[in-house]
Amino acid sequence: MGGHNEQDYRQRSGLLEDVIIPLSRRLRQIAYLKAIRESFFLMMPVIILLTLIHMTGYLLCNPTGPLLGEDWLGLGSVLTGGLHDQAYRESSFFAFWNHIREYLEVTNILNSLLFAMVLTVKLADLWQVNKYLALICTVAAYLFIITAFSGNDHELALYFAGRSFFLALLIATFSTLMFSRLSRLKFLQLPVLPELPHEMALSLKLLLPLSCTLLASLLTAFGWISVESSLLSLPAILAHTINESIAQSPAMAIGYELLRRLLWWLGLNGNSLTYFWNEAFYIPAQIANEISGGKFIFTAEFFDAASISLLGLAISVWVFASRQRLRRLSAYCFPIMLLSINEPFLFALPIVLNPMFLVPYLLAPMLNVLVGWLAIHWGIVPLFRYTVESTAPVLLQGWLATGDIMGAVLQLVWLSLDIVIYTPFVIIFNLLTKEEDRTEEAYPHET
């Protein structure tokens, strides 16, 4: 029996040392992925601030939200002198606070635009092109998309909410790469007078590459929005070709969660990059549960509520980590992680490209999905029927989304399970790094 255990350990050790660690090292050397990670580092305070502003809009300023809504605390009805139902929705009070909420939703667009600008600067340095002209190309591409969008401001904000990182990645990469390639073509460079100021001479010299990039961005933006609003859009194609019963199967739901977490481990926003699948199946399921009495277990709110697994790691690190630095980091990130803002901990510990935490980081959310499916399938927890902002506090989110205290209990069970899963790996991490120098104590930081 002992021989089998030793053999299993060697096999696991071989997988870690022979496959996962070398792979993470190679991925860490990819300059493009490094530029994305560094953009996240620089954007972290902005991400936190904009997320908190957006959460404030949902929790405090939403006339149908937890504070003012009739289905929750109902302060809106109290403040309007007892108005209810249609009379409340037609009141000036409702219109005012609904306008404020929609106004704060501009944070979705700002988050995407600012991240794209930071990434553009990083890519401009990487591809050795003028960063200011590259920024002009990126910002112009955003303006073209906003102009081409046919919906109202609220619909535009919702559009960017799901695709924020995807659009930032797409626009910044496309515009900067194209401009860098065109600006190297000698026949596109205009002759300029040597008497001109340096910056003016440079911008005039690259006038044709800049113009071509802007024109391409314009055409691409209008083409992209046209496809997005048609039956050729990726969500429409997915919904048409794949039966919803397949998307509602536990195996597919676990696979969807696995892909999301694997993308995050690579340093990419898994929520945004898998949003097309979410929009094709889980958002319609959420709407059906809320409006037409659907019976879907896997919905957009289910996966939002299940995304607390990283909080389990933070607690495990705070309790079991031997390094004071990691314990302080966990305590520092804990308050914002309660609001489901996980990026600071994800990149600071880090989880990204960390071979030691890859297995539990993938395993914990997958088990959350399985446990959640069983709990709802057996009738222990109600369906996720109500749309709740993803940054709503943990436990409150599960309660509001199901309309029942058992939703909060399910999140508590998920959190407990995640702590159990992560703790052995935190202890192993302590053992493997205890002899390392302080400057090298977090192995994943090496470049």
Side-chain angles (χ1 to χ4, degrees), residues 91-241:
S91 66
S92 58
F93 176 91
F94 186 96
F96 173 78
W97 286 107
N98 196 51
H99 176 72
I100 295 296
R101 178 185 63 84
E102 292 182 355
Y103 180 77
L104 293 178
E105 286 179 345
V106 73
T107 54
N108 294 329
I109 303 175
L110 283 176
N111 200 7
S112 181
L113 173 58
L114 294 175
F115 185 86
M117 293 174 65
V118 173
L119 180 58
T120 295
V121 172
K122 289 293 182 180
L123 294 178
D125 289 337
L126 175 63
W127 294 327
Q128 298 180 341
V129 66
N130 185 281
K131 64 182 66 176
Y132 301 108
L133 296 180
L135 277 172
I136 290 175
C137 296
T138 293
V139 174
Y142 265 87
L143 294 178
F144 293 151
I145 284 186
I146 292 173
T147 303
F149 193 83
S150 58
N152 56 38
D153 293 342
H154 176 63
E155 292 170 337
L156 179 64
L158 291 179
Y159 177 78
F160 271 91
R163 293 170 172 81
S164 58
F165 175 81
F166 173 80
L167 290 174
L169 195 66
L170 180 67
I171 293 173
T173 303
F174 172 80
S175 61
T176 309
L177 182 61
M178 184 173 188
F179 180 64
S180 69
R181 295 293 183 267
L182 293 178
S183 62
R184 288 181 172 83
L185 300 178
K186 297 296 184 182
F187 68 89
L188 288 179
Q189 297 178 5
L190 297 177
V192 295
L193 296 174
E195 293 81 8
L196 291 175
H198 174 72
E199 295 297 334
M200 182 183 296
L202 178 61
S203 61
L204 290 176
K205 178 182 178 181
L206 299 177
L207 176 61
L208 288 180
L210 181 65
S211 301
C212 292
T213 303
L214 292 177
L215 178 60
S217 297
L218 173 64
L219 296 176
T220 303
F222 278 94
W224 173 264
I225 293 298
S226 298
V227 170
E228 284 278 83
S229 59
S230 71
L231 294 177
L232 296 176
S233 68
L234 184 54
I237 292 174
L238 289 172
H240 180 73
T241 56

Side-chain angles (χ1 to χ4, degrees), residues 370-417:
L370 179 60
V371 170
W373 175 75
L374 291 173
I376 297 175
H377 182 72
W378 290 339
I380 301 173
V381 177
L383 293 169
F384 284 78
R385 294 192 178 277
Y386 306 103
T387 300
V388 180
E389 181 56 44
S390 59
T391 54
V394 172
L395 303 185
L396 178 63
Q397 182 186 23
W399 190 347
L400 295 177
T402 60
D404 193 286
I405 188 63
M406 290 305 297
V409 173
L410 176 60
Q411 282 197 304
L412 188 59
V413 170
W414 279 335
L415 182 59
S416 303
L417 176 64

Side-chain angles (χ1 to χ4, degrees), residues 4 8 15 38 42 50 58 93 126 134 161 164 192-193 222 248 252 274 301 311 319 325 349 366 376 427 437:
H4 286 298
D8 292 342
L15 178 64
E38 291 177 350
L42 291 171
L50 293 180
Y58 172 77
F93 176 91
L126 175 63
S164 58
V192 295
L193 296 174
F222 278 94
Q248 284 294 317
M252 186 60 72
T274 59
E301 288 302 324
L311 185 61
V319 174
R325 184 188 68 84
L349 183 61
M366 292 166 61
I376 297 175
I427 295 174
D437 183 75

